[in-house]
Short mmCIF file of all heavy atoms in Angstrom, two decimals:
data_model
loop_
_atom_site.label_atom_id
_atom_site.label_comp_id
_atom_site.label_asym_id
_atom_site.label_seq_id
_atom_site.Cartn_x
_atom_site.Cartn_y
_atom_site.Cartn_z
N GLU A 4 98.08 139.98 -194.37
CA GLU A 4 99.57 139.85 -194.21
C GLU A 4 100.24 141.08 -194.76
O GLU A 4 99.64 141.68 -195.75
CB GLU A 4 100.09 138.61 -194.85
CG GLU A 4 99.73 137.44 -194.01
CD GLU A 4 100.48 136.15 -194.42
OE1 GLU A 4 101.41 136.30 -195.14
OE2 GLU A 4 100.33 135.11 -193.86
N LEU A 5 101.38 141.47 -194.43
CA LEU A 5 102.31 142.48 -194.79
C LEU A 5 103.32 141.90 -195.75
O LEU A 5 104.16 140.97 -195.20
CB LEU A 5 102.73 143.28 -193.80
CG LEU A 5 103.29 144.62 -194.12
CD1 LEU A 5 102.27 145.53 -194.79
CD2 LEU A 5 103.79 145.31 -192.88
N TYR A 6 103.55 142.19 -196.95
CA TYR A 6 104.68 141.67 -197.81
C TYR A 6 105.39 142.92 -198.50
O TYR A 6 104.62 143.51 -199.38
CB TYR A 6 104.15 140.64 -198.73
CG TYR A 6 105.16 140.13 -199.68
CD1 TYR A 6 106.11 139.19 -199.15
CD2 TYR A 6 105.24 140.46 -200.94
CE1 TYR A 6 107.19 138.77 -199.92
CE2 TYR A 6 106.23 139.95 -201.77
CZ TYR A 6 107.18 139.10 -201.29
OH TYR A 6 108.15 138.59 -202.03
N ARG A 7 106.51 143.20 -198.26
CA ARG A 7 107.34 144.21 -198.83
C ARG A 7 106.62 145.51 -198.75
O ARG A 7 106.44 146.28 -199.75
CB ARG A 7 107.60 143.87 -200.26
CG ARG A 7 108.64 142.79 -200.38
CD ARG A 7 109.03 142.57 -201.78
NE ARG A 7 110.13 141.61 -201.91
CZ ARG A 7 110.70 141.21 -202.97
NH1 ARG A 7 110.41 141.82 -204.09
NH2 ARG A 7 111.61 140.19 -203.00
N GLY A 8 105.96 145.86 -197.62
CA GLY A 8 105.36 147.07 -197.38
C GLY A 8 103.81 147.23 -197.87
O GLY A 8 103.18 148.13 -197.58
N ALA A 9 103.46 146.12 -198.50
CA ALA A 9 102.06 146.21 -199.05
C ALA A 9 101.23 145.24 -198.32
O ALA A 9 101.73 144.06 -197.99
CB ALA A 9 102.07 145.78 -200.56
N GLU A 10 100.03 145.65 -197.91
CA GLU A 10 99.17 144.73 -197.21
C GLU A 10 98.23 144.03 -198.11
O GLU A 10 97.73 144.58 -199.16
CB GLU A 10 98.18 145.64 -196.32
CG GLU A 10 97.90 145.04 -194.90
CD GLU A 10 97.14 145.87 -194.12
OE1 GLU A 10 95.90 146.08 -194.36
OE2 GLU A 10 97.68 146.55 -193.17
N TYR A 11 98.07 142.70 -197.95
CA TYR A 11 97.21 141.95 -198.89
C TYR A 11 96.50 140.94 -197.93
O TYR A 11 96.86 140.47 -197.00
CB TYR A 11 97.88 141.33 -199.98
CG TYR A 11 98.92 140.30 -199.64
CD1 TYR A 11 98.51 138.89 -199.69
CD2 TYR A 11 100.08 140.57 -199.19
CE1 TYR A 11 99.45 137.81 -199.32
CE2 TYR A 11 101.02 139.59 -198.80
CZ TYR A 11 100.73 138.27 -198.87
OH TYR A 11 101.62 137.39 -198.65
N VAL A 12 95.20 140.59 -198.42
CA VAL A 12 94.32 139.65 -197.87
C VAL A 12 94.49 138.25 -198.34
O VAL A 12 94.57 138.05 -199.56
CB VAL A 12 92.93 140.12 -197.90
CG1 VAL A 12 91.97 139.11 -197.23
CG2 VAL A 12 92.66 141.54 -197.34
N ILE A 13 94.60 137.41 -197.40
CA ILE A 13 94.61 135.95 -197.74
C ILE A 13 93.17 135.34 -197.49
O ILE A 13 92.93 135.19 -196.16
CB ILE A 13 95.71 135.14 -197.06
CG1 ILE A 13 97.10 135.67 -197.40
CG2 ILE A 13 95.66 133.62 -197.36
CD1 ILE A 13 98.25 135.03 -196.58
N ASP A 14 92.44 135.09 -198.50
CA ASP A 14 91.07 134.62 -198.26
C ASP A 14 91.05 133.17 -197.95
O ASP A 14 90.32 132.64 -197.00
CB ASP A 14 90.14 134.98 -199.43
CG ASP A 14 89.94 136.42 -199.58
OD1 ASP A 14 89.88 137.08 -198.55
OD2 ASP A 14 89.73 136.84 -200.81
N PHE A 15 91.78 132.47 -198.80
CA PHE A 15 91.76 130.83 -198.56
C PHE A 15 93.05 130.47 -197.93
O PHE A 15 94.12 130.72 -198.26
CB PHE A 15 91.78 130.29 -199.98
CG PHE A 15 90.31 130.44 -200.52
CD1 PHE A 15 90.09 131.52 -201.46
CD2 PHE A 15 89.39 129.57 -200.35
CE1 PHE A 15 88.96 131.66 -202.03
CE2 PHE A 15 88.09 129.76 -201.05
CZ PHE A 15 87.95 130.72 -201.82
N LEU A 16 92.80 129.75 -196.76
CA LEU A 16 93.95 129.35 -195.91
C LEU A 16 94.24 127.92 -196.27
O LEU A 16 93.35 127.08 -196.57
CB LEU A 16 93.64 129.48 -194.42
CG LEU A 16 93.28 130.89 -194.05
CD1 LEU A 16 92.84 130.95 -192.60
CD2 LEU A 16 94.46 131.76 -194.13
N PRO A 17 95.54 127.59 -196.12
CA PRO A 17 95.95 126.10 -196.44
C PRO A 17 95.43 125.18 -195.30
O PRO A 17 95.44 125.46 -194.10
CB PRO A 17 97.46 126.14 -196.38
CG PRO A 17 97.83 127.36 -195.70
CD PRO A 17 96.68 128.33 -195.79
N LYS A 18 94.79 124.02 -195.86
CA LYS A 18 94.36 123.05 -194.83
C LYS A 18 94.60 121.74 -195.49
O LYS A 18 95.15 121.57 -196.63
CB LYS A 18 92.80 123.10 -194.78
CG LYS A 18 92.30 124.49 -194.23
CD LYS A 18 92.39 124.56 -192.80
CE LYS A 18 91.94 125.89 -192.35
NZ LYS A 18 92.16 126.19 -190.95
N VAL A 19 94.41 120.60 -194.69
CA VAL A 19 94.60 119.21 -195.23
C VAL A 19 93.32 118.56 -195.02
O VAL A 19 92.67 118.66 -194.00
CB VAL A 19 95.68 118.54 -194.54
CG1 VAL A 19 95.66 117.05 -194.86
CG2 VAL A 19 97.01 119.02 -194.75
N LYS A 20 92.71 117.82 -196.16
CA LYS A 20 91.47 117.11 -196.08
C LYS A 20 91.91 115.68 -196.05
O LYS A 20 92.65 115.09 -196.95
CB LYS A 20 90.74 117.36 -197.41
CG LYS A 20 89.43 116.63 -197.37
CD LYS A 20 88.73 117.01 -198.68
CE LYS A 20 87.44 116.30 -198.82
NZ LYS A 20 86.73 116.51 -200.04
N LEU A 21 91.40 114.97 -194.94
CA LEU A 21 91.57 113.61 -194.82
C LEU A 21 90.35 112.83 -195.13
O LEU A 21 89.23 113.35 -194.74
CB LEU A 21 91.98 113.21 -193.39
CG LEU A 21 93.21 113.81 -192.82
CD1 LEU A 21 93.43 113.48 -191.30
CD2 LEU A 21 94.39 113.35 -193.56
N GLU A 22 90.41 111.80 -195.91
CA GLU A 22 89.35 111.01 -196.21
C GLU A 22 89.58 109.50 -195.77
O GLU A 22 90.66 108.94 -196.14
CB GLU A 22 89.12 110.93 -197.69
CG GLU A 22 88.70 112.30 -198.23
CD GLU A 22 88.58 112.30 -199.80
OE1 GLU A 22 89.55 112.54 -200.49
OE2 GLU A 22 87.38 112.10 -200.22
N ILE A 23 88.72 109.10 -194.87
CA ILE A 23 88.92 107.78 -194.23
C ILE A 23 87.63 106.90 -194.24
O ILE A 23 86.64 107.57 -193.93
CB ILE A 23 89.28 107.81 -192.73
CG1 ILE A 23 90.51 108.81 -192.64
CG2 ILE A 23 89.70 106.58 -192.15
CD1 ILE A 23 90.53 109.77 -191.55
N VAL A 24 87.76 105.60 -194.69
CA VAL A 24 86.52 104.83 -194.73
C VAL A 24 86.65 103.89 -193.54
O VAL A 24 87.69 103.20 -193.50
CB VAL A 24 86.27 104.11 -196.03
CG1 VAL A 24 85.15 103.24 -195.91
CG2 VAL A 24 86.04 105.11 -197.10
N VAL A 25 85.76 103.78 -192.58
CA VAL A 25 85.83 102.86 -191.38
C VAL A 25 84.45 102.17 -191.22
O VAL A 25 83.40 102.54 -191.81
CB VAL A 25 86.11 103.62 -190.14
CG1 VAL A 25 87.48 104.42 -190.28
CG2 VAL A 25 84.96 104.70 -189.89
N GLN A 26 84.59 101.07 -190.54
CA GLN A 26 83.32 100.30 -190.16
C GLN A 26 82.67 101.14 -189.09
O GLN A 26 83.39 101.92 -188.28
CB GLN A 26 83.72 99.01 -189.67
CG GLN A 26 84.39 97.99 -190.67
CD GLN A 26 83.41 97.72 -191.76
OE1 GLN A 26 82.08 97.61 -191.44
NE2 GLN A 26 83.81 97.41 -192.94
N GLU A 27 81.33 100.94 -188.94
CA GLU A 27 80.54 101.70 -187.97
C GLU A 27 80.93 101.53 -186.60
O GLU A 27 80.80 102.26 -185.70
CB GLU A 27 79.12 101.50 -188.20
CG GLU A 27 78.59 102.14 -189.49
CD GLU A 27 77.09 101.99 -189.70
OE1 GLU A 27 76.46 102.25 -188.73
OE2 GLU A 27 76.69 101.80 -190.90
N ASP A 28 81.47 100.29 -186.30
CA ASP A 28 81.81 99.97 -184.85
C ASP A 28 82.99 100.80 -184.40
O ASP A 28 83.19 100.95 -183.11
CB ASP A 28 82.08 98.40 -184.74
CG ASP A 28 83.21 98.03 -185.71
OD1 ASP A 28 83.55 98.55 -186.59
OD2 ASP A 28 83.71 96.77 -185.33
N ILE A 29 83.84 101.28 -185.31
CA ILE A 29 84.90 102.17 -184.70
C ILE A 29 84.76 103.59 -185.10
O ILE A 29 85.62 104.45 -184.85
CB ILE A 29 86.31 101.67 -185.29
CG1 ILE A 29 86.52 101.88 -186.73
CG2 ILE A 29 86.71 100.32 -184.80
CD1 ILE A 29 87.98 101.74 -187.23
N LEU A 30 83.70 104.02 -185.62
CA LEU A 30 83.28 105.30 -186.07
C LEU A 30 83.53 106.39 -184.94
O LEU A 30 84.19 107.43 -185.06
CB LEU A 30 82.03 105.50 -186.74
CG LEU A 30 81.61 106.93 -187.10
CD1 LEU A 30 82.48 107.48 -188.15
CD2 LEU A 30 80.19 106.98 -187.61
N ASP A 31 82.79 106.09 -183.74
CA ASP A 31 82.84 107.10 -182.73
C ASP A 31 84.25 107.24 -182.15
O ASP A 31 84.70 108.41 -181.82
CB ASP A 31 81.94 106.67 -181.63
CG ASP A 31 80.47 106.75 -181.91
OD1 ASP A 31 80.06 107.61 -182.94
OD2 ASP A 31 79.60 106.08 -181.36
N ARG A 32 84.93 106.18 -181.99
CA ARG A 32 86.37 106.27 -181.61
C ARG A 32 87.28 107.06 -182.60
O ARG A 32 88.19 107.87 -182.27
CB ARG A 32 87.00 104.81 -181.46
CG ARG A 32 88.37 104.86 -180.77
CD ARG A 32 88.40 105.24 -179.37
NE ARG A 32 89.72 105.24 -178.89
CZ ARG A 32 90.40 106.30 -178.44
NH1 ARG A 32 89.74 107.42 -178.17
NH2 ARG A 32 91.55 106.20 -178.06
N CYS A 33 86.99 106.79 -183.85
CA CYS A 33 87.77 107.48 -184.91
C CYS A 33 87.52 109.00 -184.95
O CYS A 33 88.42 109.75 -184.86
CB CYS A 33 87.31 106.93 -186.26
SG CYS A 33 88.09 107.77 -187.70
N LEU A 34 86.23 109.37 -184.74
CA LEU A 34 85.92 110.83 -184.51
C LEU A 34 86.57 111.47 -183.32
O LEU A 34 87.04 112.57 -183.29
CB LEU A 34 84.41 111.08 -184.54
CG LEU A 34 83.67 110.67 -185.77
CD1 LEU A 34 82.18 110.65 -185.58
CD2 LEU A 34 84.09 111.27 -186.93
#
C-alpha cells in the first residue's frame, strides 16, 4: 500500500475466525 508517499507491505491481512461446534448430521450442510 501507499501511505503519504511511502510504500509499505502489509504481510498479515485482517480476517475473522469462526468457531462452531455442530452435530455430525448437519456438518456437511454447515460446510
Side-chain angles (χ1 to χ4, degrees):
E4 286 193 4
L5 193 64
Y6 179 72
R7 294 187 177 182
E10 216 176 76
Y11 65 99
V12 176
I13 298 177
D14 291 330
F15 290 91
L16 300 173
K18 302 288 182 182
V19 171
K20 178 181 178 181
L21 298 177
E22 295 176 271
I23 308 145
V24 176
V25 297
Q26 293 295 330
E27 290 187 39
D28 56 342
I29 67 164
L30 175 63
D31 290 336
R32 184 70 180 124
C33 179
L34 298 176

